[in-house]
C-alpha cells in the first residue's frame, strides 16, 4: 500500500450518477493531507451505473468545476462502480506473486463467465488457506468491462487530466479502512468484519471488509432515485421538492396514526429503505453461511442517504448490529464530510491491485 506522491498533489475522482466527488490530496510522513474537496453536480441522465451516456456534458461540468476550484494538478486517480463489474473469489495453488497473473489468465474461462476479450481483469490477494494439507491462495478477481475502462480514461484525458489508475469503490473503501485503525474514535478496523453500506443515487454498494480485505462486494439496486420515483407515484412534487421532503424527515423510525402528507411521504421512504434492508440481509446470510465464524461486527453508513435522521437506528434495530455513519478516521486529520468523500479519499491510497 502506498500513499499519494510526497512531491505532488493528486486528484481522486469518484464517479457517481448524480454527483462526482473530487479530493485533492498529497502524501506526508504522517499520512494524507487533503487540500481540496468538492462535488460536481451532473445533469440528469448523463451517467448511469458506470456508463457514460453524455461525455460532452460530463466533460463540460468537470472543466467548469475544476476551474472554479482552482485545481492546478493533473495527476488523476479515478474510482468507478457498476453492477457490470464482476467479482469472484477463487483459490489457486500458492505460487510467487509474479506467477499469479499467468495462472489466472490460463484459467480465466473457468473463473469468470465472461469473454476475456471484453473485460479488464485484475486480482486482489485475500490470504492463504490450507486445503487438504495444500497451501492455497484466496484471490478476489475483479472484472470490469473493457469499454467502461477505456471510456472513463478517455473522459479524464478530454478534461485535460492525466489518468494514472482506475479503481473501483469497494477496493477504495477497503484500502481506507486498512490504512486507518479507528472509525469515529471508537470502532476498531482490526480483526473485525465491517459492512460498508454506501447509499448512492442509482444504487447502494455493500462491501464487507475484514483487515483491509474484501470479503463480499455487491451492488444493490435501491438508492435515492428509487425513493424519489416511489414518491412521484403518489405526490405531484418536483424533483427538488422530493429531495427537500426527504431531507426534512425528523426521524425515519417515527410512526403515527395520522395520514397527512408528511407521514405518507415518510412511510414511502421507509418502505423503500426496508426493501434495501431486506436485500442487505440476504447478503449477510450468504456471508455467514460461508464459514461458521463469519459475522458482521458493525455497519458503516456512507453516501447521501446516510444523512436521513434516525437511519443509524433503523439499521441497528433491523439487524441487531451496531450501525454508525462514517464521520472520522484516526489517520486522516480533516474536518470535511467523510461519508460523502470516503471513496475518493480511499482512492488516493495506492496499491498494485488496481486497473492500470
Amino acid at each position: 500500500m502506498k500513499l499519494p506522491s510526497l512531491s505532488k498533489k493528486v486528484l481522486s475522482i469518484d464517479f457517481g450518477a448524480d454527483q462526482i466527488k473530487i479530493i485533492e490530496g498529497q502524501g506526508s510522513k504522517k499520512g494524507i493531507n487533503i487540500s481540496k474537496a468538492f462535488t460536481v453536480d451532473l445533469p440528469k441522465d448523463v451517467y448511469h451505473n458506470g456508463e457514460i451516456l453524455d461525455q460532452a456534458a460530463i466533460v463540460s461540468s468537470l472543466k467548469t468545476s475544476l476551474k472554479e476550484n482552482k485545481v492546478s494538478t493533473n495527476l488523476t486517480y479515478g474510482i468507478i462502480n457498476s453492477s457490470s463489474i464482476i467479482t469472484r473469489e477463487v483459490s489457486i495453488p500458492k505460487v510467487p506473486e509474479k506467477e499469479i497473473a499467468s495462472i489466472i489468465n490460463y484459467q480465466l474461462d473457468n473463473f469468470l463467465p465472461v469473454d476475456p476479450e471484453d473485460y479488464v481483469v485484475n486480482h486482489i490477494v485475500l490470504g492463504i488457506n490450507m486445503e487438504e494439507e495444500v497451501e492455497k491462495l484466496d484471490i478476489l478477481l475483479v472484472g470490469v468491462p473493457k469499454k467502461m475502462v477505456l471510456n472513463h480514461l478517455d473522459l479524464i484525458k478530454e478534461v485535460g487530466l492525466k489518468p494514472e489508475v482506475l479503481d473501483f469503490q469497494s477496493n477504495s473503501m477497503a484500502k481506507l479502512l486498512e490504512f486507518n485503525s479507528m472509525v469515529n474514535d471508537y470502532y476498531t478496523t482490526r480483526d473485525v468484519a465491517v459492512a460498508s453500506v454506501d447509499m448512492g443515487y442509482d444504487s447502494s454498494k455493500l462491501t464487507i471488509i475484514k483487515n483491509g480485505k474484501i470479503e463480499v462486494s455487491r451492488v444493490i439496486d435501491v438508492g435515492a432515485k428509487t425513493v424519489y420515483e416511489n414518491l412521484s407515484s403518489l405526490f405531484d412534487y418536483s424533483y427538488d421538492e422530493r429531495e427537500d421532503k426527504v431531507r426534512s424527515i425528523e426521524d425515519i423510525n417515527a410512526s403515527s396514526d395520522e395520514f397527512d402528507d408528511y407521514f405518507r411521504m415518510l412511510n414511502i421512504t421507509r418502505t423503500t429503505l426496508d426493501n434495501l434492508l431486506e436485500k442487505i440481509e440476504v447478503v449477510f446470510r450468504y456471508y455467514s453461511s460461508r464459514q461458521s465464524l463469519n459475522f458482521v461486527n458493525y455497519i458503516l453508513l456512507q453516501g447521501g442517504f446516510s444523512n436521513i435522521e434516525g437511519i443509524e437506528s433503523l439499521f441497528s434495530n433491523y439487524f441487531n448490529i451496531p450501525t454508525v455513519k462514517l464521520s472520522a478516521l484516526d489517520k486522516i486529520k480533516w474536518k470535511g464530510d467523510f461519508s460523502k468523500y470516503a471513496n475518493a479519499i480511499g482512492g488516493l491510497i495506492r496499491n498494485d491491485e488496481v486497473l492500470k
Side-chain angles (χ1 to χ4, degrees):
M1 181 171 292
K2 303 172 185 176
L3 296 179
S5 170
L6 291 171
S7 59
K8 11 174 121 167
K9 293 177 181 177
V10 177
L11 278 185
S12 180
I13 301 180
D14 176 26
F15 289 91
D18 65 331
Q19 284 186 332
I20 295 174
K21 278 77 72 178
I22 300 179
I23 286 284
E24 183 183 72
Q26 186 172 10
S28 72
K29 292 181 180 179
K30 294 182 179 180
I32 296 174
N33 292 327
I34 296 173
S35 52
K36 294 183 192 301
F38 56 95
T39 59
V40 181
D41 292 326
L42 294 179
K44 295 291 180 286
D45 301 323
V46 301
Y47 190 92
H48 172 69
N49 195 29
E51 291 188 31
I52 298 168
L53 305 178
D54 188 338
Q55 180 160 318
I58 299 174
V59 168
S60 176
S61 296
L62 274 171
K63 282 184 174 180
T64 299
S65 190
L66 292 172
K67 184 177 181 180
E68 289 175 349
N69 286 277
K70 300 179 181 179
V71 173
S72 57
T73 184
N74 65 355
L75 184 62
T76 303
Y77 302 164
I79 303 102
I80 62 173
N81 205 70
S82 170
S83 59
S84 299
I85 295 176
I86 299 173
T87 60
R88 291 286 186 278
E89 186 177 329
V90 301
S91 291
I92 64 172
K94 185 182 178 184
V95 294
E97 173 68 31
K98 63 182 180 180
E99 297 179 19
I100 294 176
S102 60
I103 290 178
I104 290 172
N105 288 335
Y106 182 72
Q107 300 187 59
L108 194 56
D109 288 343
N110 298 324
F111 290 153
L112 291 179
V114 298
D115 185 344
E117 295 298 317
D118 296 333
Y119 276 73
V120 176
V121 179
N122 218 319
H123 69 273
I124 299 170
V125 178
L126 300 177
I128 299 173
N129 74 78
M130 294 296 294
E131 190 175 308
E132 297 180 354
E133 299 184 357
V134 176
E135 279 192 310
K136 295 285 189 78
L137 285 177
D138 289 331
I139 303 289
L140 181 71
L141 297 181
V142 182
V144 184
K146 187 175 293 184
K147 182 179 179 181
M148 186 177 293
V149 173
L150 295 176
N151 286 348
H152 280 83
L153 295 177
D154 182 60
L155 185 151
I156 293 170
K157 290 176 183 175
E158 190 175 338
V159 175
L161 301 173
K162 179 183 176 183
E164 182 161 321
V165 295
L166 197 63
D167 207 343
F168 78 113
Q169 288 176 355
S170 292
N171 193 44
S172 176
M173 198 60 205
K175 291 184 297 180
L176 187 63
L177 291 183
E178 183 181 13
F179 179 67
N180 291 273
S181 57
M182 295 293 292
V183 171
N184 295 2
D185 301 320
Y186 181 80
Y187 294 92
T188 182
T189 64
R190 303 293 182 251
D191 300 320
V192 295
V194 182
S196 165
V197 181
D198 186 344
M199 292 176 285
Y201 179 75
D202 265 352
S203 59
S204 296
K205 277 71 71 178
L206 169 61
T207 311
I208 301 177
I209 301 162
K210 188 170 184 178
N211 291 327
K213 303 298 183 183
I214 298 170
E215 302 270 282
V216 176
S217 175
R218 296 286 187 275
V219 177
I220 299 174
D221 60 350
V222 179
K225 183 179 180 181
T226 320
V227 174
Y228 301 148
E229 288 176 346
N230 289 342
L231 288 174
S232 69
S233 65
L234 288 179
F235 294 102
D236 189 23
Y237 295 144
S238 69
Y239 180 86
D240 290 341
E241 285 174 330
R242 279 174 269 164
E243 281 191 320
D244 291 339
K245 295 292 183 183
V246 173
R247 288 195 195 102
S248 73
I249 291 174
E250 296 177 359
D251 183 358
I252 191 64
N253 304 285
S255 60
S256 173
D257 293 332
E258 297 180 33
F259 202 61
D260 59 18
D261 283 356
Y262 173 79
F263 278 102
R264 290 173 66 205
M265 178 274 299
L266 187 150
N267 287 332
I268 291 170
T269 303
R270 188 168 58 215
T271 299
T272 309
L273 290 173
D274 285 342
N275 184 28
L276 172 63
L277 296 173
E278 290 168 5
K279 294 187 176 188
I280 291 174
E281 186 177 26
V282 171
V283 182
F284 283 0
R285 286 203 301 266
Y286 162 75
Y287 175 62
S288 62
S289 71
R290 286 169 46 183
Q291 290 187 26
S292 60
L293 296 179
N294 277 0
F295 61 92
V296 172
N297 293 87
Y298 64 92
I299 300 169
L300 192 59
L301 301 181
Q302 309 146 244
F305 257 41
S306 66
N307 292 316
I308 293 178
E309 290 295 329
I311 198 163
E312 294 160 300
S313 296
L314 183 71
F315 270 75
S316 60
N317 291 336
Y318 186 93
F319 294 109
N320 196 26
I321 297 172
T323 302
V324 293
K325 176 185 171 183
L326 178 60
S327 60
L329 294 164
D330 62 313
K331 292 186 180 177
I332 300 178
K333 307 305 179 186
W334 184 56
K335 295 181 179 180
D337 187 345
F338 280 92
S339 70
K340 176 185 287 189
Y341 292 100
N343 293 319
I345 298 170
L348 287 171
I349 302 167
R350 284 287 306 279
N351 59 25
D352 293 330
E353 299 121 351
V354 292
L355 305 169
K356 297 182 180 178

